[in-house]
Every structure is written in C-alpha cells, then in structure tokens.
Amino acid sequence: MNNKITYLEFKEDLEKIVKTGAEPEIPFLLNGKKYMIIGFENMVSFQRFGDNEGDQSGEIFFKNLDELYNTETIDGILLKRDWKDIKRFDDHDLI
C-alpha cells in the first residue's frame, strides 16, 4: 500500500508538531530502503538508515521541508517526484 498523505498535509502536520518544541523523527520506506525526515525549529534533516553501517547515509540538513522536497538527495531521491511511491509512512516499527 502506498502513502496516502499528501505533501501539503505532511508539511502542515510537521510544522504543528515542531511548534510544540518537539523534534519529530518520521521514518518511511521508499524503494525498499528506510529513510527518515527529522523536523527541527529552523531546519529539517533527511537520512537513510538501517541496522548495518552500510545502510546508513548520515544526516543531510535543509533549511526547510520545501527545500528538501525540491532537491535531489541521497540515492537520487527527489521527494517531489517520488512522494507517491513512499510506503509505510510514519511506521515506527521501521526503527
């Protein structure tokens, strides 16, 4: 089953959570790999993660979610293009 949340819904939800002072870690599955977006007060980060060091990419920081959405990043991911292919969004069993 593919992702059912739109980018705009995700963005609004992330902004609401960040305004509470939380730094939400939102994992998802895309192309068979695990990724995570982390929201901070003045930026977001994106990374590939996994159990083995070789599965991990390290964090890349963006000034905001829109910049991440419109930038080709780790593994050639471009969220603007690939959003529809995200699976198991916010499934904390992935962590």
Side-chain angles (χ1 to χ4, degrees):
M1 176 185 291
N2 286 357
N3 171 34
K4 298 289 187 204
I5 189 170
T6 69
Y7 170 71
L8 291 177
E9 291 169 329
F10 178 86
K11 181 180 174 183
E12 287 175 9
D13 289 348
L14 183 66
E15 288 172 354
K16 285 178 191 175
I17 295 168
V18 168
K19 283 181 183 178
T20 70
E23 295 178 352
E25 298 179 346
I26 303 157
F28 61 92
L29 191 64
L30 179 61
N31 301 328
K33 295 180 182 175
K34 299 175 188 179
Y35 297 94
M36 184 179 301
I37 295 172
I38 303 174
F40 300 97
E41 185 177 352
N42 295 313
M43 67 183 134
V44 298
S45 71
F46 181 72
Q47 63 185 300
R48 184 184 65 242
F49 70 99
D51 297 330
N52 300 314
E53 192 171 316
D55 295 335
Q56 302 168 12
S57 67
E59 264 179 301
I60 298 176
F61 293 90
F62 297 88
K63 63 183 175 182
N64 57 46
L65 189 61
D66 288 333
E67 182 183 42
L68 167 58
Y69 184 75
N70 289 292
T71 302
E72 187 169 319
T73 187
I74 300 163
D75 300 328
I77 299 295
L78 176 61
L79 292 177
K80 184 175 184 175
R81 174 194 65 220
D82 300 327
W83 193 265
K84 67 187 179 321
D85 298 321
I86 291 174
K87 298 180 181 178
R88 296 177 61 190
F89 217 138
D90 200 18
D91 182 347
H92 289 280
D93 290 338
L94 290 172
I95 297 178

